Amino acid sequence: MSQKDTSDRFNQDQTVIRVVNLVKSFGGRRVLDGVNLEVRRGETMVIMGGSGCGKSTLLRHMIGSLFPDEGYVELFGQNLNELDDKSLDSLRLRFGILFQSGALYNSMTVGENVALPLREHTNLDEDTIQIMVKIKLEQVGLRYAENLMPSEISGGMKKRAGLARAIALDPEILFYDEPSAGLDPVTSAEIDQLIMDLSRKLGVTSVVVTHEMDSAFRIADRMAMLDAGKMLKIGPRSEFEALRDGPETGDEQLDLIRQFIRGDSDGPITRRRSSAGFMEDVLGVAED
Ligand SMILES: Nc1ncnc2c1ncn2[C@@H]1O[C@H](COP(=O)(O)OP(=O)(O)OP(=O)(O)O)[C@@H](O)[C@H]1O
Ligand SMILES: [Mg+2]
């Protein structure tokens, strides 16, 4: 666990992220409709939900790149709505983000990409930076790729490189948006293993947005199911496993989650689609 914030009021088992009644509309469409979520220190929280249900939007609120119409996000006890740019920037040094594409700079080598946050946010000398880069690349199994350009590496390697950059500053929280999307099953399992290793070895708190169920069940301590801008259920992985492996419950919401995680072609989701209005049908969100 990081030593950086032993002075604040958060210790082990305590909440590091608190999302409270988050509401966000785009062009009159309510994409987040009163979302609540707490993430505890050291855990891996997986947020699942169908395409367009608001997962990335929720994540962007958690990292302070979007701000809500109503409600707030607290990171390490600090309300992001109330922070000035300077405080937000220094808070950003305490978390890392792995974007869907890896988001590498194509004009720089893999090593230079990883060095970037160290150059921008620390006063380390060049020799130390070079050593740090090697350590970070080693941690993601990419030591041999230091001098390659992003165009010369595969999608899975780009994810690893993005992850090496995300952990460059030893973050306390790692946010992942669809870390295994577009990867083959084995590479995807390797990325999952890496997420778990980082969480265990570095004690990082992880928030992972995904709709890949194999991956979700592999890595999650707790899971949260988002649907049309609302949290349907938050609970330990075992509760979702029981739902997945058990019979239909007769409860509309639970059966909706069950259908989603089983990938069944028949259930509340498909019934809703065939009876929903145009907006909900096409866009997956309720009209405001
Ligand atoms: N900046 C924006 N401006 C307008 N609409 C937006 C914006 N960002 C997201 N949306 C809309 O909000 C809805 C939710 O988008 P979001 O990207 O959060 O979904 P998601 O759950 O991450 O989907 P996916 O699984 O496909 O990544 C979508 O209908 C999307 O078009
Ligand atoms: Mg998304």
Side-chain angles (χ1 to χ4, degrees):
M1 184 185 128
S2 167
Q3 297 299 308
K4 283 178 202 158
D5 63 338
T6 42
S7 58
D8 71 25
R9 62 196 170 92
F10 291 93
N11 297 311
Q12 198 109 29
D13 298 331
Q14 284 189 296
T15 303
V16 285
I17 307 170
R18 185 173 280 122
V19 175
V20 183
N21 292 326
L22 215 60
V23 173
K24 182 72 173 182
S25 297
F26 291 119
R29 281 194 298 116
R30 218 172 239 246
V31 169
L32 298 180
D33 193 11
V35 172
N36 289 284
L37 181 68
E38 292 194 348
V39 183
R40 302 170 192 150
R41 185 179 297 285
E43 77 173 342
T44 298
M45 167 64 78
V46 171
I47 300 170
M48 351 175 247
S51 209
C53 75
K55 301 181 298 296
S56 296
T57 304
L58 173 58
L59 202 68
R60 290 174 66 199
H61 281 82
M62 289 184 180
I63 61 175
S65 79
L66 275 178
F67 290 87
D69 302 332
E70 292 169 39
Y72 60 94
V73 174
E74 249 180 40
L75 284 189
F76 310 108
Q78 302 181 62
N79 183 335
L80 299 188
N81 293 349
E82 293 167 359
L83 297 182
D84 56 28
D85 288 349
K86 195 161 163 278
S87 316
L88 202 53
D89 280 346
S90 62
L91 199 64
R92 286 201 175 102
L93 301 181
R94 296 174 68 179
F95 59 80
I97 309 160
L98 181 64
F99 294 104
Q100 195 158 332
S101 60
L104 300 174
Y105 291 99
N106 286 321
S107 59
M108 299 179 185
T109 65
V110 166
E112 284 161 356
N113 266 281
V114 178
L116 201 63
L118 296 164
R119 292 221 164 89
E120 282 182 353
H121 300 293
T122 71
N123 297 319
L124 297 172
D125 59 61
E126 190 53 32
D127 287 351
T128 312
I129 287 179
Q130 291 306 324
I131 293 168
M132 297 281 287
V133 166
K134 287 180 173 45
I135 292 172
K136 300 301 168 185
L137 286 173
E138 178 68 30
Q139 275 177 326
V140 301
L142 213 59
R143 179 87 156 69
Y144 62 93
E146 184 178 345
N147 296 315
L148 296 178
M149 301 303 285
S151 59
E152 297 172 313
I153 62 178
S154 70
M157 290 164 73
K158 283 193 180 108
K159 290 271 165 80
R160 286 171 186 271
L163 195 47
R165 193 179 58 190
I167 60 172
L169 296 171
D170 295 325
E172 294 159 74
I173 307 175
L174 277 169
F175 293 98
Y176 301 86
D177 198 352
E178 305 282 0
S180 47
L183 301 180
D184 70 66
V186 174
T187 308
S188 161
E190 284 174 347
I191 296 287
D192 289 343
Q193 189 58 50
L194 201 51
I195 294 174
M196 292 187 281
D197 286 349
L198 290 173
S199 147
R200 289 189 194 126
K201 286 183 195 149
L202 308 178
V204 182
T205 305
S206 308
V207 178
V208 185
V209 160
T210 187
H211 50 221
E212 314 254 330
M213 287 305 105
D214 288 346
S215 169
F217 279 99
R218 251 192 314 256
I219 62 180
D221 294 314
R222 290 198 302 143
M223 304 174 104
M225 173 81 191
L226 189 64
D227 178 61
K230 286 191 195 303
M231 270 309 172
L232 293 191
K233 176 178 170 66
I234 301 166
R237 177 175 65 188
S238 57
E239 286 182 13
F240 285 86
E241 281 167 345
L243 201 54
R244 178 191 62 187
D245 301 335
E248 280 201 338
T249 65
D251 176 290
E252 180 81 5
Q253 278 198 4
L254 291 179
D255 285 339
L256 189 153
I257 301 169
R258 181 175 174 277
Q259 182 187 3
F260 184 82
I261 58 188
R262 290 166 61 94
D264 289 344
S265 59
D266 185 35
I269 300 172
T270 27
R271 285 199 291 277
R272 176 178 67 186
R273 261 183 209 152
S274 51
S275 64
F278 176 76
M279 289 296 273
E280 190 153 5
D281 189 21
V282 175
L283 300 162
V285 293
E287 281 165 84
D288 226 2

